[in-house]
Amino acid sequence: MLLRPKKLCVLLVADDTNLFVSGTSIDEVSANANTCIIKLNTWFLANKLSLSLDKTCFSVFGVRDDNTRGKVELRLDNVILKQVSCCKYLGIIIDNNLTWSEYINHIYNKILKFTSIFYKIRHILPVKVLIAIYFAFVHSHLLYGIEIYGNTYHAYLNRLMVLNSKLLRILQSVPRKAPVSDLYENFNTLNIPDLHNFQLLVLIHKFFYHKEKLPVIFTL
């Protein structure tokens, strides 16, 4: 989400409260964040709610220098809030350098466990079922948030791309020398870079022809 300078935004997801603060300097962001946290806590208390300080943390984005990040100190009731290098938001792990490496590792570990499972089921189930299983348990993880993480360095994506091709190769029971392009064509899907481009094109198409299908944030 892009925020204009000197803007504050509070987003509620279930019982989680997320505060986004932006500014033109680290001091401005720090001051605004501390002010907003106090106001949020006051609102919580007025509505008989409590803020779990042990679960409250923050990250600083857009700053490469760790020493500059260290200048940000957020506190509430004399308790210094924990600064973390990455955090999870709507299922996506966001690192403070926006490399998406932590989220890619998260996806990798999620689908890695299917390697042995696919070896066991590939000769038992029909192809249609294997395709359905791939799209349900692998493709769904790759697709979620790919518009964002798919734009990172190839070095970060490579191990995920290799694993994805390996899973397709296992399900299709083909030798290692078989062309990788055939693996994706047989399952009517795309490799990660092409899938990233395709999802961006779908998003742009909605902007021009189906704005009603866009998330509300894009209409603000």
Side-chain angles (χ1 to χ4, degrees):
M1 178 180 181
L2 296 178
L3 297 174
R4 296 177 181 176
K6 300 181 180 180
K7 288 290 183 179
L8 303 175
C9 180
V10 179
L11 296 177
L12 302 177
V13 182
D15 61 344
D16 289 335
T17 303
N18 301 274
L19 170 64
F20 295 88
V21 182
S22 64
T24 56
S25 70
I26 200 73
D27 292 333
E28 177 188 351
V29 170
S30 182
N32 289 342
N34 272 303
T35 300
C36 197
I37 290 173
I38 293 174
K39 290 182 178 180
L40 277 175
N41 189 54
T42 301
W43 186 89
F44 286 145
L45 294 175
N47 289 273
K48 298 182 179 181
L49 299 172
S50 61
L51 182 64
S52 300
L53 295 180
D54 57 328
K55 296 181 180 179
T56 301
C57 59
F58 71 95
S59 291
V60 180
F61 304 101
V63 177
R64 291 287 181 179
D65 185 10
D66 289 337
N67 291 327
T68 303
R69 283 198 184 99
K71 293 180 180 179
V72 180
E73 184 179 277
L74 305 184
R75 60 172 63 222
L76 181 64
D77 296 335
N78 293 321
V79 176
I80 299 176
L81 303 182
K82 182 180 179 181
Q83 182 174 168
V84 296
S85 60
C86 60
C87 57
K88 182 177 285 188
Y89 179 66
L90 296 179
I92 295 180
I93 300 175
I94 309 174
D95 61 277
N96 52 18
N97 287 322
L98 299 180
T99 64
W100 309 106
S101 58
E102 291 293 333
Y103 182 55
I104 291 172
N105 290 335
H106 175 70
I107 300 174
Y108 182 92
N109 292 328
K110 270 201 167 185
I111 66 176
L112 178 63
K113 61 186 178 183
F114 292 106
T115 304
S116 59
I117 296 175
F118 286 175
Y119 271 121
K120 295 175 182 178
I121 67 174
R122 62 177 177 172
H123 296 305
I124 301 175
L125 302 175
V127 175
K128 288 185 177 180
V129 176
L130 293 177
I131 293 175
I133 289 175
Y134 169 79
F135 276 91
F137 295 102
V138 177
H139 188 269
S140 59
H141 290 300
L142 298 175
L143 191 63
Y144 186 67
I146 196 171
E147 296 91 342
I148 301 174
Y149 82 81
N151 194 44
T152 191
Y153 299 108
H154 183 272
Y156 293 133
L157 286 174
N158 185 63
R159 65 196 298 258
L160 187 60
M161 294 165 57
V162 171
L163 177 58
N164 187 37
S165 297
K166 180 180 180 179
L167 292 173
L168 288 171
R169 196 180 301 278
I170 293 172
L171 289 176
Q172 297 175 38
S173 301
V174 296
R176 291 185 178 182
K177 294 183 179 180
V180 175
S181 58
D182 291 349
L183 301 176
Y184 292 90
E185 184 176 348
N186 293 339
F187 269 41
N188 193 28
T189 186
L190 300 169
N191 59 37
I192 293 175
D194 290 338
L195 190 61
H196 168 246
N197 292 332
F198 178 77
Q199 288 301 113
L200 289 181
L201 290 173
V202 170
L203 181 63
I204 297 302
H205 184 270
K206 291 179 180 179
F207 264 105
F208 281 98
Y209 302 105
H210 299 285
K211 290 186 176 181
E212 73 281 357
K213 295 182 179 181
L214 289 170
V216 177
I217 189 63
F218 289 105
T219 62
L220 297 179

